[in-house]
Amino acid sequence: MLDRWTLTLTKPPLKRLARGCDQQGIRANQVTLAGFALGMLVMPLLAFQLYSLALIAVLLNRLADGLDGELARLQGATDGGALLDIVLDFIFYAAVVAGFALANPADNALAAAFLLWGFMGTASSFLAYAILAERRKLSSMTYPSKGFYYLEGLAEGTETIAFLVAMCLFPGHFAGLAWAFFGLCVITTATRVVGGYHSLKDDPATDHQDG
């Protein structure tokens, strides 16, 4: 929901950083993989309740996620790079939630399980529509530079980052934050499924019947 505004603020400094990286011969996929490796440190850090270090890992991962996109646009975006970007993002998000479950299973595990369920809804609705949008040669007017159709919702990248940061800053409130974000994920999934279905149902290439 907030991505359209936050992107206008973050793009200029990321573009400048991307130009510097490009001059040093750094490739977009290298940044993607390095950011993912840093991000995956979040799970053991959270498991040992090292919340400040976990927050740094989250922020570095998100910085790399923004930087690799700008580098890709400078160097030439590829389908392989877009695949790495989105898949590793979802793995990272799930790793943060799993880390909080490990940190305090008694208080956090149930909320973490439901939040992961919510992530399944947002991820599947997002990616399923992207596949069908590609089949119909649709492009997002809101996010035309994305490597895939960027279907909007209440729970987008900005909201996800905000909740992950809040969880690291206030780990004792993880369960409440997770339940709140789960609610946003449910609403996002429902609106994407309903809106996506109605936008695609009349196309014979995508309107499939079971059985």
Side-chain angles (χ1 to χ4, degrees), residues 1-2 10 12 68 78 107 126 152 169 177 202 204 211:
M1 182 173 64
L2 299 176
T10 59
D68 65 5
T78 66
D107 292 339
F126 179 94
E152 299 174 68
L169 290 174
L177 290 166
D202 295 326

Side-chain angles (χ1 to χ4, degrees), residues 39-89:
M40 290 307 291
L41 293 174
V42 77
M43 187 182 291
L45 290 171
L46 288 172
F48 287 104
Q49 301 184 9
L50 300 172
Y51 298 114
S52 296
L53 293 176
L55 175 59
I56 293 172
V58 169
L59 294 176
L60 288 174
N61 174 272
R62 295 298 81 203
L63 173 61
D65 183 61
L67 178 58
D68 65 5
E70 293 302 327
L71 266 175
R73 282 181 275 280
L74 273 178
Q75 299 169 347
T78 66
D79 289 344
L83 174 69
L84 281 178
D85 183 60
I86 189 63
V87 171
L88 297 185
D89 275 356

Side-chain angles (χ1 to χ4, degrees), residues 198-209:
H198 283 288
S199 71
L200 297 170
K201 66 180 180 134
D202 295 326
D203 184 350
T206 56
D207 186 17
H208 296 288
Q209 301 277 336

